Amino acid sequence: MNDYQKMADLLLQSRYAVALTGAGISVESGIPDFRSEKGLWSKYDPMEYGHIDSFRSNPAKVWKMLLEMDSVLMKAVPNSAHYALADLERRGILKAIVTQNVDSLHQKAGSLNVIEFHGNNRSLRCGRCSRKYARESVSFEKIPPLCACGYPLRPEFVFFGEEIPPDAYQKAMTSVQRCDLMLVVGTSATVAPASYLPRTAKSRGAILLEVNPAATELSHRMSDLHIAESAGKALPAIVAALDASSPKQRKNV
Ligand code: APR
């Protein structure tokens, strides 16, 4: 039996499967990840551009990088990996996706229960009065964009040095505590606290399945099965293998 079929069978046997996704799942949608050779952090120093203190001290500088990212995000459309996860949810197998991505591509592919651990790209917020603005309503003619109160607007992303939004954190923890299988896709699993989620799931007895063309800390130490392939190839192949599973496996859903 090949690894796709094995993953499909394990998913069918699971009671509460949850996915954890990272930047890698959106690479085939044209969005570079952070830590690969051509990733965003090879071009920009994460502490200089990704830390909340940098944003506070020089919002215009950080906004230049954010706008470069924004132009890529605005063009991107879901790829076959996002659609495969939405399909798994529709089949009743996948109960939630915890994503570190801010690109909204899971929702665009039709996934419903998406927990955005690091925020989203749909709105901006005033760093002083907290007023929210839809992304489309903001003009970027002047950088940084300003709130009606005159203070710089910030993206609704989580910067380094900031807390995870409490609601997302709570929902993610609940999913991790309930899950008996976690499908980890396209993340280096190096950034805490997201990186604790698969470790917590595993320590509570969940099966860890990983899809990532590269080996990670997880694949070395704790993944039960690692498919070293791109998400856009592997996830549709896993979904296709579900239909080839024996009736006995399917009955366990
Ligand atoms: N399919 C699946 N995985 C891929 C693909 C692909 N086509 N291409 C690359 N990857 C893998 C890489 O091998 C890498 O392990 O995706 C992973 C991306 O890792 P990172 O760049 O570290 O991204 P991520 O894990 O999402 O980063 C976490 O760090 O900078 C912060 O807030 C940012 O949410 C981000 C967090």
Side-chain angles (χ1 to χ4, degrees):
M1 188 190 289
N2 69 33
D3 286 348
Y4 297 108
Q5 193 63 57
K6 281 187 197 156
M7 281 206 185
D9 287 351
L10 288 165
L11 279 161
L12 284 170
Q13 286 159 19
S14 69
R15 183 182 34 77
Y16 200 95
V18 167
L20 171 68
T21 64
I25 196 168
S26 298
V27 164
E28 286 152 285
S29 292
I31 306 173
D33 67 8
F34 294 94
R35 294 174 185 77
S36 293
E37 215 178 305
K38 291 189 179 150
L40 195 70
W41 297 148
S42 68
K43 200 168 161 196
Y44 294 100
D45 179 336
M47 286 305 118
E48 213 182 317
Y49 287 88
H51 199 282
I52 187 60
D53 292 343
S54 315
F55 183 78
R56 285 190 185 126
S57 62
N58 194 345
K61 176 178 165 181
V62 174
W63 262 112
K64 280 191 191 130
M65 185 271 292
L66 291 172
L67 281 183
E68 186 181 316
M69 200 174 149
D70 181 74
S71 68
V72 177
L73 293 186
M74 295 304 280
K75 284 196 297 252
V77 294
N79 65 57
S80 54
H82 298 102
Y83 287 114
L85 290 186
D87 192 344
L88 283 176
E89 186 185 30
R90 268 194 303 277
R91 290 170 189 244
I93 296 171
L94 193 66
K95 304 296 194 282
I97 299 174
V98 181
T99 187
Q100 297 163 87
N101 302 343
V102 297
D103 56 26
S104 310
L105 292 184
H106 287 304
Q107 293 92 327
K108 287 187 181 161
S111 289
L112 298 176
N113 193 12
V114 182
I115 302 164
E116 295 176 308
F117 209 68
H118 290 165
N120 69 77
N121 69 337
R122 297 180 297 278
S123 53
L124 308 182
R125 164 162 57 92
C126 176
R128 180 166 63 189
C129 73
S130 297
R131 181 167 165 186
K132 270 197 186 191
Y133 294 80
R135 157 70 186 78
E136 301 75 41
S137 70
V138 175
S139 155
F140 292 99
E141 261 170 44
K142 285 199 184 128
I143 299 299
L146 299 179
C147 177
C149 79
Y151 201 80
L153 291 175
R154 54 162 295 163
E156 200 77 88
F157 309 160
V158 176
F159 282 94
F160 288 118
E162 290 193 300
E163 276 187 9
I164 302 303
D167 183 54
Y169 186 81
Q170 203 46 54
K171 284 184 176 150
M173 286 315 289
T174 304
S175 303
V176 167
Q177 279 156 10
R178 285 186 75 177
C179 79
D180 59 346
L181 183 152
M182 183 177 275
L183 176 59
V184 183
V185 185
T187 177
S188 58
T190 49
V191 176
S195 58
Y196 299 147
L197 301 175
R199 290 163 172 86
T200 306
K202 179 75 180 180
S203 71
R204 296 176 58 89
I207 292 171
L208 275 196
L209 306 182
E210 192 182 6
V211 172
N212 193 320
T216 66
E217 281 278 305
L218 293 180
S219 24
H220 287 309
R221 289 160 187 252
M222 54 183 82
S223 295
D224 294 286
L225 201 51
H226 169 211
I227 292 183
E229 184 56 89
S230 80
K233 279 194 187 147
L235 293 186
I238 294 166
V239 170
L242 289 172
D243 298 322
S245 282
S246 68
K248 187 167 158 268
Q249 301 284 12
R250 282 206 290 270
K251 220 169 56 192
N252 289 339
V253 177

